[in-house]
Amino acid sequence: MKVNDRVTVKTDGGPRRPGVVLAVEAFNEGTMYLVSLEDYPLGIWFFNEKDHPDGVFVELEN
């Protein structure tokens, strides 16, 4: 995923929420995505863990 991609994010106890990627930071353990959501237009960070499907919070919008 890259900046300006439309994505959905997994949040606790609710449906996936749509947003837009504002920034991407790669780490050894995975990737951080700064995502603009309706309630957080300036962005909120989400972390996708490598090799852990339960730790994937950001996915491309279908």
Side-chain angles (χ1 to χ4, degrees), residues 5-60:
D5 278 351
R6 296 204 51 80
V7 296
T8 62
V9 296
K10 177 172 63 173
T11 57
D12 288 338
R16 294 189 69 83
R17 298 170 65 183
V20 176
V21 176
L22 301 176
V24 179
E25 292 286 334
F27 294 91
N28 288 338
E29 301 85 15
T31 306
M32 293 284 294
Y33 296 95
L34 182 62
V35 179
S36 173
L37 302 174
E38 185 176 311
D39 295 344
Y40 300 94
L42 297 179
I44 187 167
W45 287 101
F46 291 90
F47 187 68
N48 277 5
E49 294 180 57
K50 288 183 182 175
D51 303 321
H52 294 283
D54 289 338
V56 174
F57 292 88
V58 182
E59 296 179 338
L60 284 172

